[in-house]
Amino acid sequence: MLKDLHIQNYRLFEDFKMKGLGQVNLIAGKNNTGKTALLEALRILESKGDLSVISNIILERGDLNRHDSESFSTLFTRKLIHINRDASQLTIELGDTIKLSREVKESDYPTYFSIVERGNGSPVRNNLKTPTDGQYPNDKAVYIPFSNDKIRISDFWKKVVLTPLEDQVHEIMRVIEPKIIRLDIVDNNAKVRLENEINPIPLKNLGEGANRMLIIALALVSSKNKMLLIDEFESGLHYSVQEQLWNIIFEYAKKWNIQVFATTHSMDAVKSFFYVLEKEQNEGMGKFFRLQRSRKGQIESIKYDEKDLELAIGVKLDPR
Amino acid sequence: MELRQLLIVEGINDLHAIQSLIDKRGIKLKFNHENYIRSAGDVDRAINLFGQALNNPSIQNVGIVIDANSIGIYKRLNKLKAFLKNNLPKERFDKLQIQKGGIVVVEENMPIIGIWFMPDNESKGYLEHFLAKMIPVENELWQHVLKTVDELSQKDFCEFKEKEKQKALIHTWLAWQKSPGLPFGTAVKSGYFDVNSPSVEPFLKWFENTFLLT
């Protein structure tokens, strides 16, 4: 489990620290304080700088540029980046920990990246295609973006269907609709069979929240011993189910050793997180952080433990 | 609207007493003052909340009112400082020194910090000592209260402890008014405490400096 995090020169983080991370971490903050960027950095960290992951992040942000050096410099800011261009090789060094390079070809695009060196200086050959070639990013963490449309639930489902994990997914989904008997996903479309119904119905008929719940359920059961990153926890979820969902997340995080990082804008999400954190069996498991611009303009994190959060919610001093 | 000014007090009695004093003296608050005073519940929680406010970059002025109690202002300040060690840069931290008129730290691009120890940044005691000073000494009823409570405190059947005597005095004073037993805030509004007593001036001065009202 990650205990502390230190990010330098990634997007808007100059020198950013988070200390005392928990098993389940909820991250709030105003717009443009780096909540999504934090999840990106964790993806990169978990994949040890895998280029398919980095490329996927650039692609998702719509920053993909014909010149990779420019795309990369939208992520890795300031002087730690060194771009060496010679006839055949483009090398980007991220500080002294990760060095990336790609071959420069005539056709040039889509491109081929490889990590040439890592940390201790030992060379690593790990050629990967960019996702523009139809490949998936080689994430080690499980990542849920805020927009449900961007998620290919079929890919999650393939690994879950006809395994015991399927039962777990059904169980989680019954929080939203107790009548669900089973579900199936074909071509990214989920259908459910409900008690006393002859024909299956599309999951989306159960509301926007059902879709989000399914995504989180699939991600959760796929995260054993991994990191689970959820961008905008509350997206589409009615507040009444948020507390139940936190219950489930805390339960799985504990029994399957999942470290969860979720971002939020919503006070309901913070409150429901706190109510679940307050339960005896979850004591000390969760941490709340607010990302903010300090008075000097740098992004920093403020940690709240249970006691701090209880007080802030109690006196209505908004912790977000 | 985002909260930019915050006054933190220990308990609900402090909140209402201070709010009524500010209102009754007609002090013009030049900011969004809806719920700007928050009562934390006890001194530890008040200090915690003060730390949270200092960590919040949208807060521009933050004051805290805590009781000196029987441990006195120096130990109280040390307790506060021990908690704030990680919340304040060293230069600011070092400026937290006992001052007769209450602590106010003003620096550019930083929130203004105000710390007031009840009752007067000097004596041991609490809110009730502050309120007692708002009763004219020569008032006959007050004289009677003092005498009666004092006599009672000598008796075997007296229940309150010596360090709580001031509370017994103030509650007795309120029990024997025309409207008996009003809570502090309402009692201040009803004139059972004199808001024009010279004893409140240092507090109001501190308040104005903390919230930049002058």
Side-chain angles (χ1 to χ4, degrees), chain A residues 30 290 292-295 300 302 304 307-312 315-318, chain B residues 2-3 6 38-40 45 48-49 52 54-59 109-111:
Chain A
K30 293 179 186 162
R290 180 178 65 242
Q292 64 184 27
R293 238 169 240 287
S294 72
R295 288 170 208 272
E300 60 181 12
I302 302 293
Y304 285 66
K307 213 176 69 189
D308 304 328
L309 209 48
E310 187 255 324
L311 184 58
V315 305
K316 296 199 173 69
L317 189 66
D318 195 341
Chain B
E2 201 159 39
L3 196 71
L6 186 65
R38 306 285 167 102
S39 80
R45 290 164 63 91
N48 183 329
L49 208 55
Q52 289 190 22
L54 289 174
N55 278 336
N56 187 334
S58 57
I59 297 279
N109 296 325
M110 290 286 182

Side-chain angles (χ1 to χ4, degrees), chain B:
Chain B
M1 206 167 132
E2 201 159 39
L3 196 71
R4 300 195 186 283
Q5 281 75 22
L6 186 65
L7 178 63
I8 298 159
V9 299
E10 288 185 35
I12 200 79
N13 280 334
D14 304 88
L15 187 155
H16 290 302
I18 290 170
Q19 193 144 44
S20 297
L21 171 62
I22 303 292
D23 285 355
K24 197 144 173 121
R25 280 293 297 260
I27 289 171
K28 294 262 182 303
L29 302 172
K30 302 172 187 165
F31 51 84
N32 167 32
H33 52 274
E34 195 184 336
N35 285 330
Y36 77 103
I37 310 181
R38 306 285 167 102
S39 80
D42 61 37
V43 63
D44 289 340
R45 290 164 63 91
I47 292 172
N48 183 329
L49 208 55
F50 191 56
Q52 289 190 22
L54 289 174
N55 278 336
N56 187 334
S58 57
I59 297 279
Q60 293 166 350
N61 313 66
V62 55
I64 185 171
V65 176
I66 48 182
D67 294 336
N69 273 353
S70 50
I71 70 166
I73 52 171
Y74 289 96
K75 282 189 177 158
R76 268 284 183 264
L77 180 63
N78 285 341
K79 185 175 176 159
L80 187 78
K81 287 175 85 165
F83 189 87
L84 296 180
K85 213 159 204 161
N86 300 318
N87 297 58
L88 281 179
K90 195 174 179 308
E91 319 84 75
R92 304 211 85 197
F93 190 76
D94 292 342
K95 288 188 179 157
L96 301 180
Q97 304 279 351
I98 293 290
Q99 288 164 32
K100 188 77 178 72
I103 300 171
V104 179
V105 183
V106 184
E107 268 165 299
E108 217 173 317
N109 296 325
M110 290 286 182
I112 297 180
I113 298 176
I115 303 170
W116 177 274
F117 295 101
M118 278 293 172
D120 57 8
N121 291 298
E122 196 175 348
S123 330
K124 293 177 175 178
Y126 35 85
L127 176 70
E128 284 81 353
H129 291 86
F130 181 84
L131 291 173
K133 294 257 171 63
M134 295 166 71
I135 304 169
V137 192
E138 65 282 2
N139 181 296
E140 281 182 275
L141 177 59
W142 179 237
Q143 288 302 325
H144 188 64
V145 169
L146 286 170
K147 192 167 145 261
T148 314
V149 173
D150 199 47
E151 276 170 22
L152 176 62
S153 65
Q154 313 297 322
K155 305 277 193 225
D156 293 344
F157 53 84
C158 175
E159 294 280 359
F160 60 81
K161 296 199 175 68
E162 181 61 27
K163 67 172 182 180
E164 306 276 298
K165 187 173 168 188
Q166 197 71 18
K167 294 190 180 180
L169 282 167
I170 293 297
H171 286 282
T172 307
W173 165 251
L174 291 175
W176 292 347
Q177 298 298 326
K178 189 167 184 188
S179 262
L182 289 183
F184 294 174
T186 326
V188 171
K189 275 188 205 147
S190 307
Y192 299 161
F193 299 103
D194 177 13
V195 295
N196 294 310
S197 154
S199 68
V200 304
E201 295 308 324
F203 176 78
L204 293 177
K205 188 83 205 139
W206 169 82
F207 181 88
E208 287 172 349
N209 289 338
T210 300
F211 293 99
L212 278 186
L213 301 176
T214 46

